[in-house]
């Protein structure tokens, strides 16, 4: 391994969880390198909204959220498939409209200032084991040269495409929901609220959202939902054809960015240390608080927790099975993990039960009193 790659810890992925893990490690003096498969940080745009979080703001530096905020929106409207039912809400902690690319790059600057290195165009293709234990990774560096990178611990935070999850055959069934995203220009609909439009076809639920940005831009998202089976994929064109209000809202708007991906909103995997010297956090394990604008926060804080506690494990001496047990125990007992469990137990279970029972537009209207509780 070349000297430029030496690090006591390797982090896979430079998204919120990976950058959080790197920050937690670096701030305890652990040498850390982050391996990011993209050529440019943040070029694959995920979320464009977040809600203010005091702890995250403090970790990234006072005023971080303020600098990244384009505008604030605290109103939401929800429309049933038939358009006969509607819910309007005002939330206390408003959504902050951000640029994903700028937000990620600003986070990366904080991580670099803490002493971590971020290596782009670095795709992990394998795990290195010595005497049956994780000892590093194999990665394509610069997009063309495969190298073996040795380290004392690997923190895998690669999201829905996490290589460690794939290499370990971790079961993600029932976790990932398909998402299609477009950023559009020329949006002339209401600019003071988020809109959620519901669609039921063939017993499968699709939710379309419109999140206004600034200067006539908006983020539109289609998310499929089907409990216990694969959700049906609906295109923006199909959805607009079935919903005149959604179609009218986007009349004349032109897409300038599109992405098809998944969001792990179906369930969460609790175990974070599947092997000695391997720690996982973020979207790869479903560490997402599935409420609008909360996913980036929960993923980052879980990554930071894993990195901070993992640094303590690295600095305590040789990594043994007991080290792994105590680290797993620490992560499970941490405030971010307890918060995720509470959220999934109360909110996600309720929503899954209601959404999963909707098979036709009429039933959605009949269940609307219950949906009013889940729509938050």
């Amino acid at each position: 391994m070349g000297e430029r790659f030496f690090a006591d810890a390797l982090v896979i992925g430079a998204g919120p969880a990976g950058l959080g893990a790197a920050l937690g490690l670096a701030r305890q003096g652990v040498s850390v390198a982050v391996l990011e498969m993209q050529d440019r940080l943040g070029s694959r745009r995920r979320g464009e909204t977040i809600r203010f979080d005091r702890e995250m703001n403090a970790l990234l530096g006072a005023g971080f959220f303020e600098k990244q905020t384009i505008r604030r929106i605290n109103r939401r409207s929800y429309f049933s498939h038939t358009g006969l039912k509607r819910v309007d809400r005002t939330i206390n902690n408003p959504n902050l409209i951000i640029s994903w690319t700028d937000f990620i790059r600003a986070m990366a600057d904080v991580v670099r200032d803490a002493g971590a290195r971020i290596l782009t165009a670095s795709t992990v293709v394998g795990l290195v084991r010595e005497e049956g234990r994780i000892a590093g990774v194999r990665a394509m560096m610069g997009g063309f040269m495969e190298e073996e990178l040795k380290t004392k611990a690997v923190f895998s935070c690669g999201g829905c495409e996490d290589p460690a999850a794939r290499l370990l055959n971790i079961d993600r069934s029932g976790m990932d929901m398909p998402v299609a995203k477009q950023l559009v220009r020329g949006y002339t609909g209401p600019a003071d609220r988020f809109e959620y439009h519901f669609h039921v076809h063939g017993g499968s639920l699709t939710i379309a959202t419109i999140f206004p940005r600034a200067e006539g831009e908006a983020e539109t998202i289609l998310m499929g939902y089907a409990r216990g089976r694969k959700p049906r994929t609906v295109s923006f064109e199909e959805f607009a054809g079935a919903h005149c209000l959604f179609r009218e809202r986007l009349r004349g708007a032109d897409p300038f960015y599109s992405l098809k991906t998944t969001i792990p909103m179906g369930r969460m995997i609790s175990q974070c240390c599947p092997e000695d010297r391997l720690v996982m956090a973020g979207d790869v394990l479903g560490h997402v608080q599935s409420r609008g604008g909360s996913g980036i926060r929960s993923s980052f804080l879980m990554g930071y927790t894993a990195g901070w506690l993992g640094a303590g494990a690295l600095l305590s001496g040789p990594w043994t099975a007991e080290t792994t047990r105590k680290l797993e125990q620490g992560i499970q007992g941490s405030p971010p993990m307890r918060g995720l469990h509470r959220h999934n137990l109360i909110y996600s279970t309720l929503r899954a039960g209601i959404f999963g029972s909707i098979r036709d537009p009429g039933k959605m209207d009949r269940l609307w009193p219950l949906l009013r509780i889940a729509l938050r």
Side-chain angles (χ1 to χ4, degrees):
M1 179 177 61
E3 183 179 350
R4 71 187 179 103
F5 298 121
F6 175 79
D8 287 333
L10 287 175
V11 175
I12 301 175
L19 293 174
L23 189 61
L25 287 157
R27 284 192 171 159
Q28 287 211 64
V30 174
S31 62
V32 55
V34 182
L35 305 179
E36 168 54 46
M37 65 185 298
Q38 297 177 72
D39 294 334
R40 295 176 294 120
L41 293 180
S43 59
R44 194 164 185 248
R45 302 177 70 151
R46 299 275 293 181
E48 306 287 336
T49 178
I50 191 171
R51 286 197 255 183
F52 178 82
D53 181 80
R54 190 181 305 277
E55 181 180 3
M56 185 174 176
N57 191 60
L59 291 172
L60 292 171
F64 184 88
F65 275 72
E66 183 68 27
K67 293 174 184 176
Q68 298 302 317
T69 298
I70 296 172
R71 65 181 304 185
R72 293 171 171 79
I73 296 178
N74 68 348
R75 300 177 65 187
R76 298 180 178 187
S77 294
Y78 303 84
F79 301 90
S80 73
H81 181 130
T82 63
L84 298 176
K85 301 292 183 177
R86 173 176 176 168
V87 169
D88 292 312
R89 293 199 183 280
T90 300
I91 59 175
N92 294 326
N93 188 7
N95 285 91
L96 309 179
I97 306 303
I98 61 171
S99 161
W100 169 266
T101 302
D102 294 342
F103 198 88
I104 289 295
R105 291 177 183 176
M107 287 174 62
D109 288 341
V110 175
V111 171
R112 291 191 185 98
D113 289 343
R117 287 166 292 165
I118 301 175
L119 308 174
T120 56
S122 302
T123 303
V124 173
V125 297
L127 296 172
V128 176
R129 288 183 172 84
E130 292 181 354
E131 299 179 357
R133 306 173 71 186
I134 299 295
V137 303
R138 293 195 311 279
M140 296 294 295
M141 308 301 294
F144 64 91
M145 181 182 300
E146 182 173 324
E147 298 213 22
E148 187 174 280
L149 313 180
K150 296 289 188 65
T151 188
K152 295 179 181 179
V154 174
F155 292 76
S156 203
C157 306
C160 58
E161 299 176 351
D162 185 83
R166 183 182 69 252
L167 294 166
L168 296 178
N169 294 315
I170 291 178
D171 180 14
R172 296 175 57 87
S173 60
M175 176 186 292
D176 295 323
M177 297 185 181
V179 170
K181 166 179 174 170
Q182 288 185 344
L183 295 177
V184 302
R185 295 190 179 99
Y187 174 70
T188 57
D192 64 342
R193 71 192 63 201
F194 284 3
E195 288 193 350
Y196 296 76
H197 301 259
F198 291 83
H199 176 79
V200 185
H201 181 79
S204 186
L205 174 67
T206 301
I207 304 172
T209 65
I210 304 175
F211 296 167
R213 294 177 54 74
E215 299 179 351
E217 290 187 359
E219 177 188 20
T220 61
I221 297 172
L222 284 179
M223 182 176 69
Y225 186 95
R227 191 178 187 184
R229 64 191 191 285
K230 186 177 180 180
R232 179 179 180 272
T233 301
V234 179
S235 69
F236 280 102
E237 291 75 16
E238 288 177 292
F239 197 98
H243 292 268
C244 59
L245 179 59
F246 183 81
R247 182 170 65 250
E248 182 61 30
R249 292 285 196 254
L250 296 176
R251 188 183 303 278
D254 295 317
F256 66 91
Y257 179 85
S258 299
L259 174 69
K260 289 186 177 181
T261 183
T262 61
I263 296 179
M265 292 178 62
R267 66 183 179 93
M268 185 174 76
I269 298 173
S270 291
Q271 186 180 22
C272 298
C273 305
E275 294 191 24
D276 291 348
R277 302 182 186 177
L278 175 63
V279 186
M280 305 178 78
D283 282 15
V284 59
L285 298 184
H287 291 161
V288 174
Q289 191 178 93
S290 51
R291 299 173 67 185
S294 300
I296 298 173
R297 165 199 171 276
S298 57
S299 191
F300 171 83
L301 291 178
M302 280 304 306
Y304 186 86
T305 298
W308 182 268
L309 296 176
L314 284 166
L315 297 171
S316 65
W319 193 301
T320 65
E322 180 65 9
T323 305
T324 300
R325 187 190 70 79
K326 288 184 176 180
L327 177 56
E328 182 73 51
Q329 187 178 52
I331 295 174
Q332 294 299 328
S334 66
M337 180 64 87
R338 293 201 305 269
L340 281 172
H341 279 301
R342 284 195 302 271
H343 174 84
N344 287 334
L345 178 64
I346 299 172
Y347 180 74
S348 295
T349 301
L350 171 66
R351 183 180 56 192
I354 298 174
F355 283 4
S357 67
I358 296 173
R359 294 290 183 268
D360 60 77
K363 187 168 185 180
M364 173 177 287
D365 284 350
R366 292 192 299 272
L367 289 176
W368 200 256
L370 289 175
L371 279 167
R372 289 176 64 92
I373 301 173
L375 298 176
R376 295 187 180 276

